[in-house]
Amino acid sequence: MQVTAFAAPAEGEALARTQITRRDVGAHDVLIEITHAGICHSDIHTVRGDWGPQSYPLAPGHEIVGTVTEVGPEVTRHAVGDTVGVGCMVNSCGECANCQRGDEQYCVEGMVGTYGAEDRDGTVTQGGYSTHVVVNDEYVLSVPEGLDPAAAAPLLCAGITTYSPLKHWQAGPGKRVAVVGLGGLGHMAVKIAHAMGAEVTVLSQSLKKQEDGLRLGADHYYATSDPDTFESLAGSFDLIINTVSAKIDVSAYLGLLDVNGSLVNVGAPAEPLSLNVFALLTNRRSYSGSMIGGIAETQEMLDFCAEHGIVSEVEVIEADQINEAYERVLASDVRYRFVIDAKTF
């Protein structure tokens, strides 16, 4: 079926309205009429070729909420009329040890991204900047009642990207958690870590968002542009979640960890990062990365957010504002996530 979408026609070109093809609904497929699509920094990196060559035209978007309008004959977990979500992946091999364990995002064969990836049938996936999407039912999430659809959309990426490492590294009562950056990912990390019961500190370049950070659940807020910050907070944290997609001084942040502390990267800068290994050797520190979460964990995250009343802080825009929104994201001029009203596609 042909649907309307906003796509980048070529690398470096502005997104424009176009038509893309969605496959027919198969036995295990769900057809979703999209109501809202979040804008992630990953969308910008991908369509602009920052992470490597892409196949164009390319419609990004992996923070998708919508309504089920058709299901295949073998689908049992979703029904017409359900409010559902689609995150960063739409397929995996389903058979490797990682998939069997529920870590489909680390599929040995390679998980299939929601856009710009080769699907199992050889086609290139197209994302949520469109009116409709067809997805295998195993990769469709149930959006709990009570979550505003627009504000819930970013949970499908920003929510799970921060929830997964916070859970894995056991953020909770008695744990001192720092969040680097208070943007689309960072503000979700603050909300979720606070709900888990951790003591939360925001480490941001300046104090201009301090009021927001404390309102969202942070206990403390420091400016990293102040050199005294790194001296006064040395050895203060059990876990640091780095959410920024820019180059940082990794060694300096490692110095903020206590014994056995971990620095976890969830932001994905286009340029390589480097560190001094002695920053790891002292205090037996760890430096790790984390990428979204499996399907079951993503559903767990959505249920956790519904239980604790957590959604993203969003600015809803129309489709014709996407290119302007991209520039504002790059200028850090959004608090804290743009979400597109899909009716305007």
Side-chain angles (χ1 to χ4, degrees), residues 305-326:
C305 287
E307 178 184 353
H308 292 275
I310 296 173
V311 289
S312 181
E313 308 284 308
V314 302
E315 180 178 337
V316 179
I317 63 170
E318 296 187 358
D320 289 334
Q321 297 173 282
I322 291 174
N323 292 299
E324 176 189 350
Y326 273 23

Side-chain angles (χ1 to χ4, degrees), residues 60 73 95 188 291:
E95 299 177 354
M188 291 307 311
M291 183 177 71

Side-chain angles (χ1 to χ4, degrees), residues 8-25:
E11 183 177 321
E13 294 191 16
L15 276 69
R17 189 175 278 104
T18 188
Q19 295 288 303
I20 61 173
T21 301
R22 298 297 191 189
R23 68 173 181 266
D24 293 335
V25 177

Side-chain angles (χ1 to χ4, degrees), residues 113-345:
T114 305
Y115 60 84
E118 184 177 340
D119 208 342
R120 300 302 176 194
D121 61 2
T123 60
V124 175
T125 56
Q126 299 284 357
Y129 292 13
S130 58
T131 58
H132 297 77
V133 65
V134 178
V135 182
N136 181 290
D137 70 319
E138 294 185 359
Y139 297 84
V140 177
L141 289 307
S142 297
V143 176
E145 291 184 14
L147 290 181
D148 174 70
L155 299 181
L156 278 304
C157 175
I160 185 58
T161 294
T162 51
Y163 178 89
S164 185
L166 287 167
K167 177 189 174 186
H168 181 81
W169 275 273
Q170 300 177 334
K175 288 294 183 75
R176 300 160 299 171
V177 176
V179 177
V180 182
L182 192 67
L185 290 174
H187 91 287
M188 291 307 311
V190 169
K191 287 189 173 190
I192 293 170
H194 173 74
M196 289 179 169
E199 180 182 348
V200 184
T201 298
V202 173
L203 302 174
S204 185
Q205 284 187 313
S206 72
L207 298 179
K208 67 179 182 180
K209 298 180 182 178
Q210 183 176 24
E211 184 177 342
D212 276 3
L214 298 178
R215 173 179 60 84
L216 295 171
D219 299 286
H220 316 285
Y221 200 108
Y222 293 89
T224 56
S225 57
D226 181 352
D228 290 340
T229 292
F230 288 90
E231 182 176 347
S232 63
L233 296 180
S236 293
F237 303 110
D238 303 300
L239 174 64
I240 300 175
I241 304 293
N242 176 28
T243 71
V244 301
S245 293
K247 192 171 184 178
I248 66 166
D249 184 345
V250 175
S251 298
Y253 283 91
L254 287 169
L256 301 179
L257 293 170
D258 201 351
V259 175
N260 296 324
S262 296
L263 168 61
V264 183
N265 236 72
V266 295
E271 55 186 318
L273 300 176
S274 60
L275 61 88
N276 183 336
V277 71
F278 285 99
L280 293 174
L281 299 179
T282 54
N283 282 6
R284 198 165 53 207
R285 299 170 175 126
S286 300
Y287 182 38
S288 306
S290 180
M291 183 177 71
I292 57 171
I295 295 300
E297 187 176 48
T298 303
Q299 188 63 60
E300 177 185 297
M301 176 275 305
L302 287 170
D303 296 338
F304 176 90
C305 287
E307 178 184 353
H308 292 275
I310 296 173
V311 289
S312 181
E313 308 284 308
V314 302
E315 180 178 337
V316 179
I317 63 170
E318 296 187 358
D320 289 334
Q321 297 173 282
I322 291 174
N323 292 299
E324 176 189 350
Y326 273 23
E327 297 306 319
R328 288 181 58 191
V329 169
L330 294 174
S332 298
D333 180 26
V334 56
R335 297 194 180 183
Y336 283 89
R337 207 69 158 183
F338 286 116
V339 173
I340 309 160
D341 179 354
K343 294 193 303 292
T344 64
F345 284 126

